Amino acid sequence: MKFRGLIFANLFRKKIRFLLTIGSFAVALFLFGLLAVVRGAFSQGVEVAGADRLVVINRVSIIQPLPLSYRERILQLRGVKTITFANWFGGVYQDERNFFPQFAIDIENQRKVYPELIVPEDQWQTFVKDRQGTIVGAATAKRFGWKIGDRIPLKSSFLPGPWEFNLDGIYHGQRRQDDETQFWFQWNYLEERVPDRLKGQIGWYVLRVENPDDSVRIAKQIDQLFANSPYETRTETEKAFAAGWVKQMGNIEFLILSIGGVVFFTLLLVTGNTMAIAVRERTAELAVLKAVGFSDRFVLLLVLAESLLIAILGGALGLGLAKLFTLGGDPTRGLLPFFYLPLKAIISGLGVALAVGVASGLLPAVGAMRLRVVDALRRV
Amino acid sequence: MVRVDGGRGSSSLIQVRGLDKKYQRGSEEIHVLQGLNLDVDKGDFVAFMGPSGSGKTTLLNLIGGLDVPSAGSITVAGDEITHMSRSKLTEWRARHVGFVFQMYNLIPVLTAFQNVELPLLLTKLSKADRRKHVETALAIVGLVDRTDHYPRQLSGGQEQRVAIARAIVSDPTFLLCDELTGDLDRKSADEIMNLIQRLMKEFGKTVLMVTHDPVVAQRADVTLHLEKGVLVEAAKPEGVTAGGLA
C-alpha cells in the first residue's frame, strides 16, 4: 500500500486524458450492460424453462391448432404427471404499441404446470368463478396502472366483438427472472365465442413429467402417437422450445457478441495506445525508478496497476450507469419481457473490463520492464 | 587516495580492474573504455573530466551498476558487481549507490517529500521512520520548507537539491553525480557544490562526479581525465602523487 501514492499520482498526471480513457471504458461497459439486458430478455425464457416441462405444438407451426382430444391420450402415457393447454389471443389494448402476451388458459391445471407463477388463493377463486375474469402479471399491471376490479377492454384482431375482462388477480413470479407480463383468461370464455369451425381446438399443450430424464422418451412417444394424423405434433422440452422461439427472431446472440466484440476491440486499441503514450512520456522517470533500485517486475506491475485501475473505475462507472438506466424502467414499453441487468452480467462486465485493462497495459508494461536505464537516460 | 595504475591491494572502497567497454554501432565497434584501472577510497571526492564521448558517463554507469562491462571487474565494498544478475544488481544499487543526474529527473507528479521518499519505499522502514529520514535529508539540503512543493514549483537549484536529498536519503555507500551542475547558473552551481563538499566532509560520503566544468572540477579532491577510453594523469598537480593521485 505504500506505493499507492505513486500509482495514483501517475494515474492523475494528465487529468483530461485520464477522464477520457475512463470515459471510453464507461461508454463501452454501459453498452455492454445494455446488450446484456437485451440478450437476457431474449434468452431468459430459455434459462428459466422448467426442466420437467414439455411443450407440444402442431408439427406445421405453432399457429396451427391441435385438437383438445389429444389431452387425455397424452395423459395416459407413462411418466406424464399433469398437462395443461392454452390458446394465443392477439388482443390489442387501446393501441397496437401496447403489446403484452394474452393466453386463454386451462384453469384446472394452469397452476399445477406453472407453480412458480403465484396467484393469491382468494384472487384465483374469484377468477375461477368469473367467466370474464383475468389474471395479469405484476409487470403488465404496473405498466398500465391496473388495479384489481378494473375492467379491461381488448380488441381481437381475428375474432369479432368487444372483449372485456375483469381484473380478478395479479400474479408474481417466484424468481426475479420469471415472466410477469402475461394476461390470462379462461379458455372456456374463448371457446364460447369462437366460430364453430374453431371449437375444440387449442394452441399448444404443456405437460410436466415425473422425471426429467424421461423427457426425450415421452416427447418421442407423443409425436409417434399422432404421426400420420391430420394434426401431427412436435414435442420438445420447454428449454428447446424457448430456444427455438429466440432463434426465430434471428441470431440475437451472434449479433450481440459481434457488436460487443467490435466495441471491446476498439476499446483495447484506444486504451493500449493511451497506455503506450503514457509510458513513453515517462521513460526517464521509469529509468530513474530503476536506477534507485526499483526492480523490473515492480515497473511492470506499476504500469499494469495503472491500466487495471482505469479499467476498474471506467468499468464500474459504465456498469453502474447501465444498472441505473435499467432501474429507470423499460424504455421499450414492455416489448421486452425482462428489462434488468443481472448481477451475473455485472460480474462478467467487470471481468471483461479487467481483461481489456490487462491486455491494453501488457505491451507498454513489458516495454517498461525491459527498458535499460542507460538507454533511457541517454534519450533524455 | 585515488590511483589509476591498478597497483593497490583490495583495501579500496571502489576497485576497478582492466575495465573494457565496447559498443557496436552498425558494423563499427566503438571501444569506449580500454583496460581501465581505478582505486577510490572511502571519503574520496573524484571528478572525471574529458571531451564528449570519452567515456565519462559510461564509466560512471558501470561503477553504478547501470551497465555491464565488456571485460574487467568492478568491486565495491567487497562486492564484485560485474557478474551480478540484473535483479541482484538492482538490489545492490538500492543499498549502495545514490545517483544525481544533470536533468534532476524528479517525478513531476510527486512532491519534494515524495520524491525523496522513493528509495525508502524499497526498505522495510515504517511510515514514521521514512518521514524522519526524508525530513533529515531535506534538512541537510536546506529544503525543509519545500517538502510539499512539486518540482514545477521549485527553481533548478532547488530541484537539484531535492535530487541530492533523494540520493542520500538511504545513506548509500557512495554518490555518483553526472553533470549535476550542467543545467544550473554559476551561483546555483556553487551552492550545489558547497552542498556536495559538505556531504563529503561532514558525512564522509564518497563522491564520483562527471563534469565538463573545470571550476566545478576544482572542488573535487582529485580530477581524472578520460581520453579515448583511458584514464590519464590528473589536471590538478597538487592532487597527484607518484604512482597515484592524492
Side-chain angles (χ1 to χ4, degrees):
Chain A
M1 277 297 95
K2 56 187 174 181
F3 301 110
R4 196 178 45 205
L6 184 61
I7 295 168
F8 279 96
N10 280 322
L11 210 56
F12 300 127
R13 172 185 295 252
K14 304 262 182 186
K15 289 186 181 63
I16 291 180
R17 184 167 68 196
F18 169 71
L19 289 176
L20 289 176
T21 316
I22 291 271
S24 320
F25 264 98
V27 169
L29 267 296
F30 178 75
L31 186 63
F32 174 91
L34 293 192
L35 289 174
V37 169
V38 174
R39 181 186 168 275
F42 282 98
S43 62
Q44 203 73 283
V46 181
E47 283 170 27
V48 300
D52 63 344
R53 282 197 290 250
L54 295 179
V55 179
V56 185
I57 61 168
N58 190 302
R59 193 177 171 188
V60 177
S61 131
I62 192 169
I63 60 168
Q64 298 298 318
L66 288 172
L68 181 61
S69 58
Y70 280 11
R71 182 173 175 270
E72 293 309 316
R73 294 175 68 187
I74 293 170
L75 254 180
Q76 282 168 12
L77 293 172
R78 187 168 51 87
V80 175
K81 199 162 141 189
T82 182
I83 185 166
T84 190
F85 55 85
N87 268 71
W88 171 261
F89 183 77
V92 173
Y93 175 66
Q94 294 176 339
D95 189 297
E96 282 186 0
R97 284 177 299 179
N98 294 335
F99 172 80
F100 53 91
Q102 301 130 26
F103 303 133
I105 60 158
D106 158 27
I107 55 172
E108 278 175 47
N109 298 297
Q110 169 78 8
R111 292 196 299 173
K112 290 179 199 159
V113 176
Y114 294 104
E116 72 272 24
L117 305 179
I118 312 289
V119 186
E121 189 55 33
D122 57 326
Q123 294 179 14
W124 181 260
Q125 290 311 325
T126 310
F127 169 64
V128 169
K129 288 175 202 151
D130 181 5
R131 189 65 122 195
Q132 286 187 301
T134 179
I135 290 198
V136 301
T140 296
K142 189 182 169 196
R143 180 179 167 200
F144 298 110
W146 293 339
K147 293 179 291 297
I148 290 175
D150 282 358
R151 189 106 172 125
I152 300 164
L154 295 182
K155 268 188 292 180
S156 170
S157 51
F158 64 98
L159 293 168
W163 291 77
E164 294 207 342
F165 299 92
N166 305 313
L167 181 55
D168 292 330
I170 291 172
Y171 79 79
H172 289 84
Q174 229 169 17
R175 300 161 298 183
R176 181 175 187 148
Q177 60 270 40
D178 285 326
D179 181 8
E180 291 184 345
T181 65
Q182 297 171 21
F183 179 103
W184 303 337
F185 65 97
Q186 294 194 23
W187 182 82
N188 291 339
Y189 181 44
L190 179 73
E191 180 72 354
E192 273 174 17
R193 299 186 56 177
V194 294
D196 286 348
R197 64 185 165 81
L198 296 177
K199 285 195 189 299
Q201 293 182 337
I202 57 99
W204 60 86
Y205 291 103
V206 181
L207 54 109
R208 284 179 76 187
V209 296
E210 303 277 1
N211 183 354
D213 295 341
D214 292 335
S215 294
V216 177
R217 174 187 56 83
I218 293 171
K220 218 172 181 178
Q221 279 184 333
I222 293 170
D223 291 346
Q224 278 170 355
L225 194 61
F226 304 112
N228 301 316
S229 75
Y231 298 97
E232 289 192 317
T233 58
R234 190 172 82 221
T235 308
E236 53 195 354
T237 60
E238 193 177 46
K239 196 180 263 289
F241 176 77
W245 192 252
V246 171
K247 228 175 189 174
Q248 281 184 15
M249 306 202 187
N251 198 337
I252 302 288
E253 187 88 15
F254 175 74
L255 194 69
I256 286 173
L257 284 176
S258 303
I259 297 171
V262 169
V263 168
F264 281 106
F265 184 67
T266 311
L267 181 67
L268 185 67
L269 297 182
V270 169
T271 46
N273 186 43
T274 305
M275 287 311 296
I277 292 171
V279 168
R280 202 159 50 240
E281 283 173 353
R282 281 155 46 200
T283 302
E285 291 170 32
L286 294 172
V288 169
L289 282 182
K290 288 187 174 192
V292 301
F294 286 86
S295 66
D296 292 342
R297 195 195 305 169
F298 176 88
V299 172
L300 174 97
L301 292 177
L302 179 70
V303 176
L304 271 184
E306 288 171 31
S307 180
L308 278 176
L309 266 174
I310 289 175
I312 290 170
L313 290 174
L317 180 66
L319 289 166
L321 288 174
K323 185 70 187 172
L324 278 180
F325 185 76
T326 55
L327 290 177
D330 177 6
T332 68
R333 295 179 57 79
L335 202 64
L336 298 174
F338 311 94
F339 195 80
Y340 79 101
L341 183 61
L343 183 65
K344 210 170 108 183
I346 294 176
I347 293 169
S348 305
L350 281 177
V352 171
L354 284 178
V356 173
V358 171
S360 59
L362 197 60
L363 274 182
V366 169
M369 182 185 78
R370 288 184 177 162
L371 189 74
R372 288 186 71 235
V373 182
V374 176
D375 297 336
L377 290 176
R378 199 178 291 145
R379 271 184 248 159
V380 179
Chain B
M1 194 172 76
V2 177
R3 291 175 68 108
V4 294
D5 58 2
R8 283 187 57 199
S10 58
S11 60
S12 318
L13 177 72
I14 300 169
Q15 201 175 73
V16 179
R17 291 288 176 270
L19 197 67
D20 259 41
K21 183 66 186 176
K22 297 170 193 168
Y23 289 113
Q24 200 71 34
R25 191 179 291 159
S27 57
E28 187 190 2
E29 189 178 73
I30 301 164
H31 214 150
V32 186
L33 301 176
Q34 300 175 32
L36 191 142
N37 295 313
L38 176 68
D39 286 273
V40 178
D41 280 345
K42 188 175 182 322
D44 282 342
F45 182 3
V46 190
F48 296 102
M49 291 192 77
S52 297
S54 58
K56 307 181 296 292
T57 298
T58 301
L59 175 61
L60 222 56
N61 288 340
L62 289 168
I63 295 172
L66 294 178
D67 204 352
V68 283
S70 308
S73 68
I74 300 168
T75 308
V76 179
D79 293 332
E80 151 91 73
I81 66 166
T82 28
H83 295 112
M84 280 184 186
S85 67
R86 214 170 134 137
S87 57
K88 277 260 178 256
L89 211 48
T90 304
E91 282 172 32
W92 175 84
R93 278 202 305 270
R95 274 204 323 276
H96 293 286
V97 196
F99 287 98
V100 186
F101 304 99
Q102 178 181 354
M103 299 308 293
Y104 329 131
N105 286 332
L106 299 178
I107 295 187
V109 289
L110 299 182
T111 61
F113 183 95
Q114 290 169 321
N115 266 290
V116 176
E117 191 188 20
L118 273 177
L120 298 181
L121 295 179
L122 296 163
T123 66
K124 287 179 181 160
L125 289 176
S126 68
K127 196 174 176 184
D129 285 341
R130 291 203 304 271
R131 171 164 286 278
K132 219 182 288 173
H133 279 70
V134 173
E135 283 170 352
T136 304
L138 283 169
I140 290 171
V141 300
L143 285 177
V144 251
D145 55 339
R146 296 281 190 275
T147 51
D148 294 329
H149 285 58
Y150 287 91
R152 64 176 181 279
Q153 297 167 318
L154 301 172
S155 69
Q158 286 172 331
E159 277 194 76
Q160 194 59 296
R161 282 196 272 160
V162 174
I164 292 169
R166 181 179 66 188
I168 61 171
V169 72
S170 54
D171 193 22
T173 309
F174 62 104
L175 294 180
L176 292 180
C177 309
D178 191 359
E179 296 281 7
L180 82 169
T181 58
D183 213 39
L184 299 175
D185 57 44
R186 175 57 57 204
K187 186 170 171 286
S188 301
D190 283 345
E191 284 170 7
I192 291 296
M193 289 318 299
N194 289 340
L195 177 59
I196 295 290
Q197 278 187 312
R198 200 180 137 220
L199 288 175
M200 195 201 79
K201 285 179 182 150
E202 282 181 33
F203 300 95
K205 287 285 162 213
T206 307
V207 182
L208 279 73
M209 174 180 75
V210 160
T211 182
H212 273 109
D213 185 347
V215 180
V216 168
Q218 275 181 351
R219 300 289 203 102
D221 298 335
V222 176
T223 302
L224 299 176
H225 270 255
L226 253 170
E227 276 172 31
K228 292 179 183 166
V230 181
L231 273 176
V232 295
E233 287 288 313
K236 250 170 76 175
E238 63 271 26
V240 185
T241 61
L245 311 159

